[in-house]
Amino acid sequence: MAEKIALITGITGQDGSYLTELLLQKGYAVHGIVRRTSNLLRSRIEHLRRDAKIYGKTLFLHYGDLSDTTTLRRIFREVGPSELYHLAGQSHVGLSFEIPESTCDEAGMATLRLLEIVRDQSPSVKFYHASTSEIFGNASESPQTEETAMRPTSPYGCAKAFATQLARVYRQSYGMFVCNGILYNHESPRRGENFVTRKVARAAARISRGLDVDLVLGNLESKRDWGRAQDYVVAIWLMLQHGKPDDYVVATGEAHSVRDFVEAAFKVVDLPWKKYVKRDPAFDRPIEPTRLVGCADKIRKTLAWKPNGSFEQLVREMVEAEVETIEKLKS
Ligand code: NAP
Ligand code: GDD
């Protein structure tokens, strides 16, 4: 069998790092696009970059930015991927209200750039687009399926809706192998620190060890369908292994509030959360999506994928990872 070559945009992100580990285990050569930053350290994939058996042998990094079409085109030509996983972009919904233009360029236009590169250079390449439950926004039905209308409520959601529909258009118009993974929130110890689950897990651990005194949050009543990132990258990979390109909702089907997450996190470290959690409307968004819960029946039936573990296990895993990091730093 010919060597499988994956090209990943957003390799340094939460999902990119887990997907890289999965693909390396499966024998792929993995190429990732990284932005030039002032710091050479890329924390989530540093363990792979420092492994001489992996880096430069089966894992390769290339400098590029989503705004730089010439470089993207060159990297694509040089790498010659069989699978392209497009995960990169500004992914914080709240921030997309503050920096809408760059968010829309990265989440929307950059997807168009990559679709055009693939169409020009190698239309048979399998293309994964990281879509999101945010496209449903003020959802017209609950739970949502692949057929639910797109009604985004944030600049980020609008840009992802644009890119999701474009991906469909390229699949239908040019017969390209393009899949939209419509993923609901998925979390892990590698989640960015300004997303609510990591912020809560980190604060619970730090307060329990006397390193912080409180936790300041926005809307505690918001609900999300939270799964595990490690499971969701398996779903991403499975989509590109199927005979036919398609769109899939990836979700647990269960909604929990931010308050539920906070309660469960402080329970792990045996602290009364109400004593430590403060509310600050500065963290509120101008508008929130409503009733976001996914129906993952299609991916269960077609690709035999299902989420693992409970909500409580996810919270425990994240808080324990934070406690472990603190203990390691101490010793
Ligand atoms: P993440 O942790 O925020 O990672 C984003 C990645 O994009 C990072 O590698 C980042 O690089 C890179 N990036 C951002 N702007 C870039 C640019 N202009 N040029 C090149 N690279 C750029 O996101 P994630 O949680 O892994 O999510 C992956 C994708 O899935 C995103 O598109 C997100 O919108 C989507 N999604 C996520 C979820 C979720 O719950 N996690 C759910 C649905 C959809 P740096 O390391 O340099 O910042
Ligand atoms: N970030 C953050 N910080 N969110 C807070 C806070 C806070 O201090 N307090 C309350 N929240 C609420 C937000 O208002 C939102 O309702 C909920 O917690 C979840 O916020 P995030 O963790 O930032 O995630 P998100 O749902 O907005 O977006 C994530 O999931 C999407 C999939 O539905 C991101 O990963 C997106 O990229 C992804 O598409």
Side-chain angles (χ1 to χ4, degrees):
M1 200 179 72
E3 186 191 28
K4 281 197 166 185
I5 303 172
L7 178 58
I8 304 179
T9 73
I11 191 169
T12 53
Q14 171 187 257
D15 293 4
S17 66
Y18 285 121
L19 180 66
T20 299
E21 288 170 354
L22 178 77
L23 297 179
L24 288 173
Q25 276 164 24
K26 291 189 179 294
Y28 280 67
V30 178
H31 294 254
I33 298 180
V34 295
R35 292 194 271 193
R36 193 269 161 190
T37 57
S38 62
N39 191 341
L40 279 183
L41 283 184
R42 304 189 189 275
S43 58
R44 296 186 183 103
I45 56 168
E46 206 48 31
H47 58 295
L48 301 171
R49 207 171 69 90
R50 283 169 190 263
D51 188 332
K53 291 194 292 302
I54 294 178
Y55 191 59
K57 310 250 176 2
T58 52
L59 173 65
F60 308 86
L61 298 179
H62 308 261
Y63 279 118
D65 191 287
L66 289 177
S67 60
D68 185 346
T69 315
T70 315
T71 310
L72 294 175
R73 189 174 288 279
R74 185 182 312 125
I75 295 171
F76 187 86
R77 195 183 54 243
E78 283 172 9
V79 170
S82 42
E83 296 172 13
L84 170 58
Y85 295 90
H86 173 38
L87 310 177
Q90 196 298 97
S91 72
H92 196 283
V93 176
L95 271 179
S96 79
F97 288 94
E98 287 174 38
I99 47 169
E101 197 172 327
S102 57
T103 301
C104 289
D105 188 67
E106 289 171 13
M109 284 304 291
T111 309
L112 173 60
R113 286 178 199 123
L114 288 165
L115 285 166
E116 275 295 292
I117 290 172
V118 172
R119 180 163 85 95
D120 283 352
Q121 295 198 17
S122 191
S124 60
V125 166
K126 295 183 172 182
F127 187 123
Y128 173 82
H129 168 242
S131 183
T132 163
S133 50
E134 280 286 318
I135 62 173
F136 300 127
N138 182 12
S140 58
E141 58 182 354
S142 194
Q144 297 85 43
T145 71
E146 295 76 9
E147 306 307 322
T148 302
M150 296 196 222
R151 295 173 25 155
T153 48
S154 63
Y156 168 85
C158 291
K160 287 284 190 182
F162 166 81
T164 303
Q165 190 59 25
L166 263 182
R168 288 177 182 164
V169 167
Y170 274 62
R171 185 168 70 217
Q172 289 155 4
S173 309
Y174 305 120
M176 284 167 52
F177 195 112
V178 187
C179 297
N180 285 305
I182 307 172
L183 272 54
Y184 284 62
N185 299 48
H186 45 281
E187 317 296 315
S188 74
R190 293 188 195 168
R191 187 54 143 149
E193 286 171 13
N194 60 352
F195 294 93
V196 78
T197 57
R198 178 84 193 279
K199 185 173 167 182
V200 172
R202 191 160 181 270
R206 288 177 63 82
I207 293 170
S208 77
R209 295 301 185 269
L211 297 172
D212 278 340
V213 290
D214 58 17
L215 163 63
V216 184
L217 289 173
N219 188 351
L220 291 181
E221 309 316 322
S222 283
K223 288 190 168 179
R224 290 292 186 276
D225 178 331
W226 276 299
R228 287 178 77 243
Q230 298 92 321
D231 297 339
Y232 284 35
V233 299
V234 175
I236 290 174
W237 174 74
L238 282 172
M239 288 178 213
L240 296 199
Q241 310 317 306
H242 193 54
K244 181 175 153 278
D246 212 339
D247 299 339
Y248 297 93
V249 162
V250 182
T252 68
E254 266 182 41
H256 293 272
S257 64
V258 173
R259 179 189 298 270
D260 294 338
F261 198 98
V262 170
E263 264 180 41
F266 278 76
K267 204 165 150 198
V268 175
V269 288
D270 215 9
L271 287 178
W273 71 272
K274 286 188 181 155
K275 193 173 157 194
Y276 300 100
V277 175
K278 300 194 165 69
R279 168 132 173 66
D280 184 346
F283 288 104
D284 289 353
R285 313 225 165 129
I287 180 172
E288 283 275 357
T290 46
R291 307 197 299 160
L292 285 190
V293 191
C295 166
D297 284 357
K298 180 172 168 183
I299 193 165
R300 263 178 218 270
K301 286 183 194 142
T302 317
L303 305 180
W305 178 88
K306 61 174 178 46
N308 283 310
S310 65
F311 172 73
E312 285 71 23
Q313 283 167 331
L314 167 70
V315 180
R316 176 167 288 281
E317 184 188 345
M318 290 183 70
V319 177
E320 286 180 350
E322 298 296 335
V323 171
E324 205 183 306
T325 305
I326 295 170
E327 298 301 335
K328 264 196 207 144
L329 285 175
K330 269 199 212 154
S331 62

